[in-house]
Amino acid sequence: MKEYARGARTEGRVIGLVPTMGALHEGHTALVRRARQECSCVIASVFVNPKQFGPKEDYQKYPRDLEKDAKTLGDAGVDVLFAPEAADVYPDGFRTYVHVEGISERLEGRSRPGHFRGVSTVVLKLFEIVQPHFAYFGRKDAQQVRIISEMAHDLNLDAEIVVCPVIREADGLALSSRNTYLSAEERMAATVLHQALVAARDELSRGVRDAMQLQTAMRRILEAEPLANVDYAEIVSADKFEPVVRVARSSYAVLAVHIAKTRLIDNLLIEPASPGSDDFVFQL
Ligand code: AMP
């Protein structure tokens, strides 16, 4: 992979990297399409990274179908699929990790200790192997892409991090490889995440800026669904993912909710309509 990528760089090609864990869906192919528009060499990785799963999480049962993913990526115009084995990525004696302090401990990091250490480490390794000019991530995992951007900044990485919009089903559910775990009944219940974010957006549109009031609006929807169990539903700053009392700058409404045994996340981006403006726009 290193040799190929180095060759492509020497030829003057612009390299785009799309890191994934496979079980690909439209959310992933949207990243590939964006990379295809902006880069002359698109590399996608499929690697279920053991270091980002907790001991009681779904590493073993995470959906894997490399053959199908290879076809999907080929059809989407990817030049190279990089699908290493865990033993090659983490050979015996592997002891070096990247940790982005502070932000990695909050929200997802608090519920999933060590998760972001695993993410940052594997993404840095992928960047070192592929040396991409651009790397494409989804806003679906907003905290993750913020952490990766921090890492890229702190460690003077050359890769430019590109954040792409959330791709959703017709009923609003954000696409996720983990949606395949949901039964028909759970799949219907899972729409509460989107509904809760819509409720927050509606409050914001009415001029509500108080974080507690926005959280209450989200919780009211989530708690009305018997299959839903809220992990967190908060309003946080877009830079540090710290709780805010009032929405005054770029922020996120962030959710993590168990639908029966499946843990799902989603978010609403809240941004000033223009730099410094008191008007906000909202992106689901
Ligand atoms: P994963 O395979 O879940 O690790 O995701 C790989 C990349 O795809 C990450 O950058 C995710 O944020 C992105 N992604 C996953 N689901 C979506 C979605 N519904 N919309 C946009 N991006 C997504």
Side-chain angles (χ1 to χ4, degrees):
M1 186 67 259
K2 262 194 147 165
E3 249 167 57
Y4 176 93
R6 211 179 277 141
R9 224 173 215 266
T10 312
E11 286 168 16
R13 295 169 77 188
V14 176
I15 303 175
L17 173 66
V18 181
T20 82
M21 297 207 299
L24 301 177
H25 50 64
E26 266 298 305
H28 299 111
T29 48
L31 303 182
V32 170
R33 275 199 302 278
R34 175 78 178 270
R36 195 66 280 173
Q37 282 167 11
E38 297 174 354
C39 306
S40 51
C41 174
V42 177
I43 298 171
S45 61
V46 170
F47 179 59
V48 185
N49 175 29
K51 303 274 187 200
Q52 70 185 70
F53 289 79
K56 292 191 184 134
E57 292 185 358
D58 55 345
Y59 176 66
Q60 294 300 338
K61 76 162 190 178
Y62 195 84
R64 291 165 172 86
D65 191 342
L66 191 56
E67 222 167 288
K68 183 160 172 249
D69 289 345
K71 181 167 185 328
T72 303
L73 293 170
D75 292 348
V78 161
D79 295 295
V80 181
L81 162 57
F82 180 46
E85 296 292 336
D88 292 325
V89 178
Y90 303 112
D92 283 347
F94 183 90
R95 288 193 292 127
T96 308
Y97 294 88
V98 189
H99 178 65
V100 180
E101 291 177 348
I103 185 169
S104 295
E105 274 78 58
R106 295 192 267 281
L107 301 166
E108 283 302 282
R110 191 175 51 192
S111 299
R112 306 182 67 189
H115 170 65
F116 285 127
R117 183 178 90 140
V119 170
S120 314
T121 301
V122 81
V123 171
L124 181 60
K125 281 178 68 91
L126 291 169
F127 282 11
E128 285 299 312
I129 293 164
V130 171
Q131 296 278 321
H133 295 91
F134 298 93
Y136 295 82
F137 295 88
R139 207 202 74 220
K140 156 87 174 12
D141 301 278
Q143 190 179 3
Q144 164 175 285
V145 68
R146 182 68 203 141
I147 287 170
I148 289 164
S149 299
E150 291 269 316
M151 172 182 80
H153 176 259
D154 287 353
L155 298 183
N156 310 93
L157 306 185
D158 284 329
E160 185 172 318
I161 309 302
V162 183
V163 187
C164 301
V166 183
I167 307 297
R168 300 177 177 281
E169 303 278 7
D171 63 5
L173 178 66
L175 266 57
S176 162
S177 306
R178 290 192 168 96
N179 291 352
T180 57
Y181 299 152
L182 301 169
S183 69
E185 188 193 3
E186 291 162 8
R187 170 64 187 78
M188 285 205 291
T191 58
V192 283
L193 280 88
H194 179 255
Q195 286 161 19
L197 295 174
V198 167
R201 186 189 63 187
D202 290 348
E203 294 285 288
L204 283 156
S205 303
R206 277 200 286 274
V208 173
R209 296 289 178 266
D210 180 68
M212 198 57 101
Q213 208 173 326
L214 296 167
Q215 276 179 43
T216 305
M218 295 196 288
R219 282 194 175 267
R220 198 176 299 136
I221 306 274
L222 296 169
E223 284 164 8
E225 170 50 60
L227 292 177
N229 200 343
V230 182
D231 180 352
Y232 60 76
E234 290 187 33
I235 312 296
V236 297
S237 61
D239 51 355
K240 297 199 166 98
F241 280 71
E242 281 172 339
V244 299
V245 176
R246 261 187 83 71
V247 173
R249 295 177 294 127
S250 287
S251 308
Y252 283 101
V254 285
L255 296 181
V257 179
H258 281 97
I259 301 293
K261 288 194 172 135
T262 304
R263 188 171 178 282
L264 301 176
I265 59 171
D266 203 344
N267 67 79
L268 167 73
L269 172 59
I270 306 163
E271 281 183 310
S274 57
S277 162
D278 287 338
D279 273 349
F280 284 86
V281 289
F282 318 111
Q283 284 182 52
L284 276 164

